[in-house]
Amino acid sequence: MNKQNRDLANAIRFLSIDAVEKANSGHPGMPMGMADVATILFKYYLKFNPKNPNWTNRDRFVLSAGHGSMLLYSLLYLTGYQSISLNDIKNFRQLNSICAGHPEYEKNTGIETTTGPLGQGIANAVGFALAEEILKKRFGKDIFDHKTYVVAGDGCLMEGISHEALSLAGHLKLKNLVMLFDNNSISIDGPTSLAVSDNFKKRFESYGWNYIGINGHNEKQIFKTLKKVQKAKKPTVISCKTTIGYGSPNKSGTASAHGSPLGKEEINLVRKKLKWKHEPFKIPEKILKEWRKVGNKGLKEEMKWKKNYNKKKNVIEKTFSNKFENIFEIEKQKVIKNLETLATRKSSEKILTILTETNSNIIGGSADLSGSNNTKTNNHKIIKPGDFKGNYIHYGVREHAMCGIMSGLALHSSLIPYGGTFLIFSDYSKPSMRLAAFMKQRVVYVMSHDSIGLGEDGPTHQPVEQLSHLRSIPNLNVFRPADTTETLECWQIALNSLNSPSVLALTRQKINPIRKEFIKENKCSFGAYELSRTNQEIGITIFASGSEVNLALEVSHKLATENIYSKVISVPCQELFEKQLTNYKEKILNETKFKISIEAGSTDCWRKYVGEKGLTFGINDFGKSAPYKEIYKHFGLTSEIIAQKTKKMIKK
Ligand SMILES: Cc1ncc(C[n+]2csc(CCOP(=O)(O)OP(=O)(O)O)c2C)c(N)n1
Ligand SMILES: [Mg+2]
C-alpha cells in the first residue's frame, strides 16, 4: 500500500481496535484484516453518496461477516455519513447506539441489511443483485446499473445457506455480484483446517462463478482485480488472502484476534508496528479529509444520474405505487357471488392471478413447489439465466436462501417478493424469516400444506409445532385463513403491511366457504372476529383457525341441538388480534366462562385464549401417514369427540 492508502486503511484499523477496546467486547480481527481491501474498494470503485445513503443506483455494500461490524461503521463515519458520528463509534455496542454489536438495518444510514448470523448477508446480496437486474431490464441501464459487493468470511462460506445462494446466483448469471472473500483461514476454534478442506476455486467455478485469488494486502492486486470485475460476465469472488488482526505482533494470524479486545499492551504494540502515533479515536485532519474526499466523489455522479431518473420518474413511481384496494373489493364480491369449495392454496392462486395482472412489482417464486404452493399464475414469466424480464423465480430446492434473497429483493427498492414452500419447511427458512421480521420488511411467505390435512405424505411433512414457532417471532404476522374470502383478506393485509413480513399458512385440502355474505370491512384485520352464534345468550366460545373453522361450526351446531349455545370465533391472525383495543378483545374473549380452541397444530399458543380451565383441541405429537380424514379422527379432531368433551367440561 502506498503511504496515503496505508493511512486510510490504518484509520479503519485503529477506530476498530479502539472501539472494541472501549466497549470491552467485539471483533477487531476481521476489520484489521480487511481494511486494505475495503479502502481500495471505497476509494476507487464503490459508487455511493453519504449525503444520500438511499440513492437508488448506489452500489450495495453488504457485510455478511457481521461480526466485523466495526469495519462498516468506520467506513461510514470516515466517508461522511451523517448516520454515524465519532461519538456513535465511541458508543459501540452500547444501548441504542447505531453502532450495534452486529450491523442492524436502518433505512437511510448506509447499513444495507442486518447481518450476524453467518451467510445471511450472502443471500441478501444475491437478492440485491437480482433486484438490480430485474429493474435494469424494466427501466433501463441509465437508471439501474450498480454492483453489489458482499464481504464474506470463512464462516459465511461454511454455512449451508452460502451454497444455496451462490449456486442460484451462478445459475442466474448475476454478473454484478462481487464477493470479497476474507480468506484468512481462521475462525473461532482456530485454523479453518480443523473443519474445512474445500477447494474454493473448484467450488466457485462449479457454481458458474469467476474465481480470482489475490493477496488481500497488496494494493496493486486489489485494484487490478476490482477493475477487472467491473466488466465481469458472471458473478465473481475475489478470494482475498488476508491476515486476521493484521498489524498485531502477537495476535495476528491467530484465532485470538477474532473476537475479543486486543488489550492495552498489545494495542500499544500495534501502534508501534503500524507507526500510528495518534490517540484513540483521533483521526488526523489530513487523513479524515482524504476519507471525506472519497465520500464526496459520488455526489456528482448522483446528479448526473438524477437527470436520467427525472425523465422516467413518473413511470417508475407508478410501478411502485401499489394498486390493490379496488382489486380486493371487486374480488371479494365475486367470491361471495360464486361460492366454491376450494383449498386455500387455490384461493391464494386466484388472488395472485388478479394481482399480478396489474402489479408488476410483485415478484413471485417457489422453492421447487410451484404447482403445490399455487404460487405461479398464468401471468407469470420466468426469470432465467441472464434474462430478467420475468416476474417469477424458480428458487430451486433452496428454502433458506429463497427467504434470504426475498429480504434482499425487498430491501433493494420496494419490490414485493413472495415465495412458496410447505409450512413444514419453514424450519429450513426460519433464520431468514426472523431477520426479515427484525428488519421490518414486507415479504410474504406462502406456506401451503399447513397441517395433518395434507394427508398421506405423513409426519415428516405435517407441520405441528411450526405455527407456534412462527407466532413466537416478533413482528411476523402468521395468517391461517379459513376460506377464499379470508385468504383474500389476509393477502390484502400482507401487501399493505409495509413494515412486517407475513406467513400465509394455506391448506392442501378443500374447504367449504365459511363467509357467505359480502362485508366490505376486512374482518381478518381484527385478527379474530365473531363468525357465528347459535343463540343470543351463549355459554361457550369456540376459537378456531384455518381448516378447523368449519369443524368449529359443526361443533357449534351439534351443541345447539342439545340446547348448548356457543359462538365461533375465527382467528386468522393471533398477532393482529393482540393489537386490538381492550374493549374489542374483552368482547371476543370474555363473554363466556367456557372456552375451547380447535387448530390442527400444537396447542400451547391457544391457552392464553381459553384460560387454564378451557380445552384446547389440537396435536402435540408428530402427525400420521394416512388419508387426512382418518388422521383427524386419530387425533380426536371430529365434531362428535369435541362436542362430547365440551359437554363433559361444562358439566363438571
Ligand atoms: C450462523 C452463525 N453461527 C455461528 C456464529 C458465531 N460466530 C461468529 S463469527 C464465527 C467464526 C467466523 O469465522 P470467520 O468467518 O472466518 O471470521 P473471522 O474469524 O475470520 O473474522 C462464529 C462461529 C454466527 N455468528 N452465526
Ligand atoms: Mg476467517
Side-chain angles (χ1 to χ4, degrees):
M1 300 284 274
N2 70 33
K3 164 87 170 82
Q4 189 184 67
N5 289 342
R6 204 164 55 226
D7 280 345
L8 294 181
N10 283 341
I12 298 173
R13 289 195 175 97
F14 283 97
L15 281 175
S16 302
I17 295 171
D18 292 332
V20 170
E21 190 66 19
K22 181 159 187 284
N24 197 22
S25 113
H27 302 76
M30 184 276 200
M32 294 167 83
M34 283 299 278
D36 294 332
V37 174
T39 298
I40 302 303
L41 173 69
F42 271 64
K43 182 167 173 182
Y44 299 106
Y45 294 99
L46 198 78
K47 182 164 68 179
F48 69 112
N49 176 14
K51 302 273 177 332
N52 179 14
N54 263 358
W55 173 22
T56 312
N57 198 33
R58 68 192 181 280
D59 286 338
R60 303 307 194 264
F61 179 74
V62 176
L63 197 73
S64 186
H67 57 281
S69 55
M70 268 314 303
L71 177 79
L72 179 61
Y73 303 147
S74 304
L75 286 161
L76 296 180
Y77 162 65
L78 289 167
T79 52
Y81 282 79
Q82 296 297 304
S83 49
I84 293 190
S85 67
L86 192 58
N87 233 6
D88 292 322
I89 288 189
K90 287 180 187 166
N91 271 325
F92 177 52
R93 294 192 156 223
Q94 305 311 302
L95 194 65
N96 293 331
S97 170
I98 176 123
C99 297
H102 295 80
E104 294 177 17
Y105 166 72
E106 214 179 304
K107 208 176 162 121
N108 229 358
T109 59
I111 302 170
E112 301 280 8
T113 179
T114 297
T115 52
L118 297 172
Q120 282 292 332
I122 298 179
N124 295 161
V126 172
F128 284 128
L130 186 51
E132 188 259 354
E133 290 285 12
I134 292 171
L135 294 166
K136 179 160 53 197
K137 189 75 209 161
R138 300 221 180 138
F139 301 115
K141 215 173 146 112
D142 51 340
I143 308 294
F144 288 94
D145 183 26
H146 70 78
K147 298 236 168 266
T148 298
Y149 295 94
V150 53
V151 174
D154 301 296
C156 291
L157 287 179
M158 286 187 226
E159 288 292 352
I161 191 173
S162 72
H163 164 69
E164 295 179 23
L166 297 171
S167 159
L168 186 60
H171 169 74
L172 290 175
K173 299 190 167 39
L174 297 176
K175 59 182 186 304
N176 281 341
L177 179 60
V178 180
M179 178 185 284
L180 302 163
F181 168 27
D182 180 19
N183 186 352
N184 62 20
S185 305
I186 292 287
S187 64
I188 293 180
D189 278 0
T192 51
S193 59
L194 289 169
V196 189
S197 41
D198 296 354
N199 181 325
F200 286 110
K201 185 168 187 291
K202 284 188 178 167
R203 181 181 165 191
F204 277 92
E205 286 176 352
S206 78
Y207 291 142
W209 282 57
N210 296 313
Y211 179 98
I212 307 173
I214 63 166
N215 172 350
H217 301 294
N218 182 310
E219 176 173 1
K220 278 203 185 109
Q221 287 186 26
I222 304 168
F223 183 87
K224 233 175 61 192
T225 312
L226 282 169
K227 184 166 185 186
K228 199 164 158 193
V229 302
Q230 303 305 311
K231 292 205 174 111
K233 297 256 172 2
K234 305 175 190 177
T236 302
V237 57
I238 306 177
S239 168
C240 311
K241 257 288 156 214
T242 64
T243 303
I244 190 170
Y246 179 94
S248 165
N250 297 304
K251 298 195 170 178
S252 66
T254 73
S256 62
H258 165 88
S260 31
L262 296 181
K264 285 222 153 49
E265 263 177 52
E266 186 68 12
I267 292 177
N268 284 338
L269 296 178
V270 185
R271 281 193 150 72
K272 247 188 220 149
K273 183 160 171 102
L274 298 183
K275 302 192 177 74
W276 187 263
K277 301 201 178 77
H278 321 291
E279 302 271 288
F281 302 108
K282 285 251 154 49
I283 305 298
E285 188 99 347
K286 203 172 128 212
I287 298 175
L288 189 61
K289 233 171 143 179
E290 195 54 36
W291 261 121
R292 293 290 151 95
K293 227 165 83 188
V294 172
N296 287 339
K297 72 184 158 67
L299 187 66
K300 247 201 211 142
E301 208 166 340
E302 185 183 353
M303 290 303 138
K304 216 169 90 192
W305 170 87
K306 191 103 200 207
K307 279 188 195 143
N308 299 332
Y309 179 79
N310 284 339
K311 283 184 218 154
K312 297 186 178 172
K313 195 170 168 225
N314 289 344
V315 187
I316 295 171
E317 283 178 0
K318 214 166 133 201
T319 304
F320 288 122
S321 71
N322 304 316
K323 302 174 296 262
F324 313 130
E325 291 317 305
N326 277 347
I327 293 179
F328 281 108
E329 197 174 321
I330 294 167
E331 275 317 298
K332 205 151 104 173
Q333 276 168 330
K334 279 195 201 157
V335 169
I336 298 291
K337 268 194 201 136
N338 181 24
L339 288 174
E340 274 183 289
T341 297
L342 278 185
T344 53
R345 59 178 174 144
K346 194 76 194 159
S347 311
S348 169
E349 181 189 332
K350 278 186 131 194
I351 295 148
L352 283 171
T353 306
I354 294 144
L355 283 170
T356 46
E357 247 167 48
T358 44
N359 290 274
S360 63
N361 55 335
I362 299 178
I363 307 291
S366 168
D368 200 42
L369 288 168
S370 298
S372 304
N373 307 140
N374 296 66
T375 39
K376 190 166 165 288
T377 74
N378 290 336
N379 295 323
H380 278 116
K381 291 211 165 53
I382 296 163
I383 288 171
K384 295 180 192 150
D387 171 2
F388 303 97
K389 60 178 173 291
N391 57 351
Y392 193 86
I393 301 161
H394 285 291
Y395 287 100
V397 193
R398 302 181 179 102
E399 298 85 3
H400 197 182
M402 172 175 77
C403 292
I405 291 169
M406 286 200 288
S407 288
L409 290 171
L411 285 161
H412 184 275
S413 50
S414 308
L415 288 171
I416 308 174
Y418 74 82
T421 183
F422 290 153
L423 181 61
I424 190 77
F425 302 130
S426 60
D427 285 352
Y428 271 43
S429 347
K430 220 167 274 152
S432 303
M433 298 168 77
R434 181 176 190 271
L435 287 174
F438 182 41
M439 291 192 279
K440 302 194 174 81
Q441 291 306 297
R442 175 176 49 176
V443 177
V444 186
Y445 310 103
V446 178
M447 300 199 150
S448 69
H449 296 57
D450 71 340
S451 75
I452 50 164
L454 68 86
E456 292 85 346
D457 269 344
T460 56
H461 283 53
Q462 291 162 353
V464 173
E465 73 284 13
Q466 280 63 32
L467 285 167
S468 211
H469 283 169
L470 293 167
R471 284 178 183 139
S472 70
I473 298 177
N475 192 39
L476 174 67
N477 287 330
V478 181
F479 294 98
R480 192 161 183 262
D483 70 355
T484 303
T485 300
E486 279 204 0
T487 306
L488 186 149
E489 289 185 346
C490 292
W491 257 114
Q492 184 176 22
I493 302 164
L495 293 180
N496 284 322
S497 298
L498 300 181
N499 299 311
S500 304
S502 303
V503 172
L504 293 174
L506 305 173
T507 67
R508 169 180 188 259
Q509 75 275 27
K510 288 186 174 177
I511 290 188
N512 290 326
I514 56 152
R515 293 266 294 275
K516 298 179 180 156
E517 277 163 39
F518 174 74
I519 307 167
K520 191 171 171 190
E521 188 174 43
N522 185 324
K523 287 300 223 179
C524 291
S525 68
F526 295 93
Y529 65 96
E530 183 177 317
L531 180 67
S532 73
R533 60 170 60 215
T534 47
N535 197 11
Q536 216 166 8
E537 294 252 320
I538 53 162
I540 299 171
T541 304
I542 307 173
F543 299 96
S545 87
S547 39
E548 284 69 66
V549 177
N550 266 292
L551 185 53
L553 290 170
E554 267 179 52
V555 173
S556 179
H557 290 133
K558 204 165 242 134
L559 290 171
T561 61
E562 302 188 38
N563 299 331
I564 302 166
Y565 298 111
S566 59
K567 66 175 176 181
V568 172
I569 305 293
S570 177
V571 191
C573 180
Q574 295 194 355
E575 295 74 20
L576 291 182
F577 180 57
E578 298 298 330
K579 287 186 183 155
Q580 300 308 309
L581 297 173
T582 318
N583 259 358
Y584 181 81
K585 281 162 89 173
E586 285 278 312
K587 235 169 59 197
I588 296 274
L589 289 174
N590 294 332
E591 184 177 349
T592 64
K593 179 172 154 204
F594 297 109
K595 297 170 213 174
I596 67 168
S597 69
I598 316 174
E599 183 179 73
S602 52
T603 56
D604 53 357
C605 49
W606 292 94
R607 180 60 59 196
K608 57 185 180 289
Y609 299 143
V610 300
E612 271 311 302
K613 298 214 170 91
L615 294 180
T616 53
F617 295 94
I619 303 165
N620 291 309
D621 198 350
F622 300 106
K624 277 279 175 197
S625 169
Y628 82 90
K629 286 187 180 154
E630 282 177 41
I631 313 174
Y632 269 83
K633 240 188 247 163
H634 174 86
F635 285 108
L637 294 175
T638 65
S639 58
E640 291 78 20
I641 295 172
I642 295 172
Q644 199 185 9
K645 287 190 177 167
T646 306
K647 277 190 288 183
K648 224 166 148 187
M649 165 179 75
I650 57 178
K651 278 191 190 136
K652 260 193 206 160

